[in-house]
Each structure stands twice: as structure tokens, then as C-alpha cells.
Amino acid sequence: EGEQVFYYETMSKTSIRSIKISTLKDYCRNNPQVYKELFYITGTRLNLVIAHSETMSLGNSYRSLAHKLAYYADQFGQVSDEGIKLLVPLTNSDLASVMNISRETVSRSFSRLQQKGLVKSGKNIIIPDVEKLRREAY
């Protein structure tokens, strides 16, 4: 009730709409399938929070970056001949912002992952073997 201000940052073009809670309640009462969709969205967001918490708990930037990239492979990856291609174009600055670390730290950690053959860079990040990358995080 009343004015609320929210700030969002997205990785792709996004539209945000609002609806009165009473209108949503009425709609859900008349369309029970909407509850299923809302629970699915809520679960997806909860998984995002859990993954972010896990990433932050890994102790160092290198392992955290490996974990974050493995997560992105699961969420935004497409199987290709080279491995999993991240469909979301990510720069070191994007990763630094998401992980709340410096771009230079991301760059150093990403270079180490490249040297070990765990990631490849180009227009999109490619992860040859997601399980190896995930193990590197732990």
C-alpha cells in the first residue's frame, strides 16, 4: 500500500509491470493454475538466492567465479560442439558487478580458469566440461 521504490539491474531487455494485490487474489481464485506458475517463479528465485549464497561462501574469488560460471551454464547454457555456450554475453565487469568483486580480480581468476582449460572466451563464454568446472569450485 502506498508508493514503493525498487531498483533492478537486468542482463537482458526486461519489462516490469505491477498489479494491485486484490486484483491478483481475485485472478488466482478464478484461475488456480496461476498459483502453480507463481510457486514455480518463487522457487526459481529462491534457488538463485541459494546459489548466490553458496558462491559467496566458497572462500576465494577463484572458486566463487568457477561456481558462478557453472551456475550460469546450468541456467543460460546451450550445448554446442565445444561444450556449454553461455547464451548471455558476460564481460569481466558484468561478473565483477554480480559477484561484488573487482574487475581485475575476475580477470585474474578467469585467466587461471582459461589456463586450466575450464573455460574459453570469445563472443560468448564456453565451458568445455561443466562438471570439471564445478569440481574446481570445491
Side-chain angles (χ1 to χ4, degrees), residues 1 19 22 29 63 66-67 84-85 98 100-101 111 122:
E1 305 297 318
I19 185 171
S22 60
R29 256 187 234 109
R63 292 178 9 187
H67 184 269
I84 303 293
K85 177 181 177 181
V98 167
N100 199 28
I101 58 179
S111 291

Side-chain angles (χ1 to χ4, degrees), residues 16-81:
I16 298 176
R17 296 193 166 95
S18 64
I19 185 171
K20 290 183 179 179
I21 193 71
S22 60
T23 304
L24 178 63
K25 285 179 183 178
D26 290 341
Y27 188 79
C28 288
R29 256 187 234 109
N30 296 325
N31 301 282
Q33 182 66 21
V34 172
Y35 280 120
K36 181 179 177 183
E37 288 295 319
L38 290 174
F39 280 124
Y40 175 79
I41 291 167
T42 302
T44 300
R45 292 188 182 188
L46 179 59
N47 282 335
L48 178 64
V49 170
I50 291 167
H52 183 70
S53 297
E54 190 175 357
T55 297
M56 303 300 15
S57 73
L58 291 172
N60 69 49
S61 301
Y62 173 78
R63 292 178 9 187
S64 293
L65 179 60
H67 184 269
K68 182 62 79 176
L69 290 173
Y71 174 78
Y72 285 161
D74 294 339
Q75 297 300 309
F76 309 113
Q78 180 180 53
V79 177
S80 73
D81 292 339

Side-chain angles (χ1 to χ4, degrees), residues 119-137:
V119 295
K120 297 177 184 177
S121 65
K123 183 178 177 186
N124 295 84
I125 296 171
I126 295 174
I127 301 168
D129 186 331
V130 176
E131 288 309 313
K132 281 185 181 177
L133 181 63
R134 194 171 278 115
R135 283 192 302 272
E136 189 73 9

